[in-house]
Amino acid sequence: MNFEAQLNRYKTMVEEGLNALPFQGAPEILKEAMRYSLLSGGKRLRGCLALAACEAAGGKAEDALSFACAVEMIHAYSLIHDDLPSMDNDTLRRGKPTNHVVYGEAMAILAGDGLLSYAFEHLSAQNTPAAFRVLGILAKAAGVSGMLGGQVLDVTNEGKAPDENLVRQIHLGKTAALITAPVLAGFALAGADETGMEMAETYGCQLGLAFQIVDDLLDLEGDAALMGKTLGKDEEAGKLTWPACVGVQ
């Protein structure tokens, strides 16, 4: 199976897993708002990484599907909150109006909170030997020393002079943490040893940094129609990015 076919297989598995999530007990309007952002498309990079990593370490992709769904829910929640007027104030995401534009700010916040909490509810229901470990991996990646901490550094350092070390710290948190987590979880679910886990972390961190560098470049030079979102906002907001530090070339 070639790369394209493998990637499509992983993506289909993730999409089917997300579509099947029941969100039991949620009021209908909340369920609708959660599904609106969760099922609006996207690359499913984080979910696919979990499945691919599990197979690469000798496990089955199916063993990592619950984690793949959980990490995609957390990614979707982070985008809903990123787009809010108090954060990046974006009105377009993946070519569609952002969650708060459709459902209002209050419901958008609640939809993000719902996706975050349901991700852990869904993952904690899995009865596997590595379940507790991967819960910890995801919580740390999404939390104060990971994505959330990186976002805080991002918003509190807008307008400051470019600093390569600070930019790297921001990128490691707000982006690389949630790209590293599925690689680590995939290896953990396959029973990888500590050497394997160290390799997984190194790979995930470097991939996450590269991903954010490309994203920063696309914000400057990308095609808004293809990307489905407003471009040029990083420079306008004075955000610390890699191009701001070292230039586009």
Side-chain angles (χ1 to χ4, degrees):
M1 188 182 296
N2 64 27
F3 173 80
E4 198 72 31
Q6 189 109 325
L7 184 61
N8 285 335
R9 170 178 160 249
Y10 293 145
K11 187 174 180 181
T12 298
M13 289 176 65
V14 174
E15 292 287 359
E16 290 176 350
L18 294 173
N19 272 288
L21 293 170
F23 298 120
Q24 63 267 24
E28 284 303 313
I29 186 62
L30 176 60
K31 190 184 297 186
E32 182 184 321
M34 290 164 69
R35 287 184 177 277
Y36 177 81
S37 293
L38 181 64
L39 305 178
S40 66
K43 297 177 287 295
R44 304 303 185 199
L45 169 67
R46 292 153 190 81
C48 289
L49 276 171
L51 305 187
C54 193
E55 283 195 337
K60 297 177 181 177
E62 292 79 5
D63 296 339
L65 184 56
S66 292
F67 187 94
C69 291
V71 76
E72 287 292 339
M73 280 188 267
I74 288 180
H75 179 54
Y77 122 75
S78 74
L79 297 181
I80 293 173
H81 284 191
D82 274 355
D83 292 335
L84 288 167
S86 58
M87 296 280 280
D88 289 348
N89 195 21
D90 271 317
T91 58
L92 199 64
R93 171 72 67 179
R94 293 169 179 163
K96 298 168 62 177
T98 47
N99 198 290
H100 70 271
V101 172
V102 177
Y103 295 99
E105 288 184 50
M107 188 53 62
I109 292 169
L110 293 169
D113 292 346
L115 287 166
L116 172 62
S117 57
Y118 196 81
F120 289 103
E121 180 181 340
H122 178 69
L123 192 53
S124 66
Q126 310 309 308
N127 186 22
T128 64
F132 185 75
R133 187 176 190 183
V134 298
L135 271 170
I137 289 171
L138 188 57
K140 183 177 181 181
V144 295
S145 64
M147 180 182 70
L148 185 60
Q151 287 288 71
V152 169
L153 292 176
D154 188 40
V155 300
T156 57
N157 284 285
E158 290 179 1
K160 293 188 178 178
D163 180 294
E164 290 183 29
N165 289 329
L166 182 55
V167 168
R168 179 180 173 84
Q169 191 178 355
I170 292 170
H171 287 187
L172 282 170
K174 78 169 192 175
T175 304
L178 214 61
I179 287 177
T180 305
V183 185
L184 281 171
F187 269 57
L189 289 163
D193 60 17
E194 287 309 307
T195 299
M197 295 297 287
E198 289 172 8
M199 292 166 63
E201 184 167 22
T202 299
Y203 172 82
C205 284
Q206 300 306 319
L207 180 64
L209 291 173
F211 183 93
Q212 186 59 55
I213 290 168
V214 172
D215 194 66
D216 288 349
L217 287 168
L218 287 172
D219 188 67
L220 293 172
E221 300 188 332
D223 185 327
L226 289 175
M227 296 183 68
K229 62 180 181 179
T230 307
L231 302 184
K233 294 182 72 69
D234 288 348
E235 190 173 32
E236 182 182 321
K239 286 188 176 292
L240 293 184
T241 65
W242 194 244
C245 283
V246 299
V248 170
Q249 291 302 321

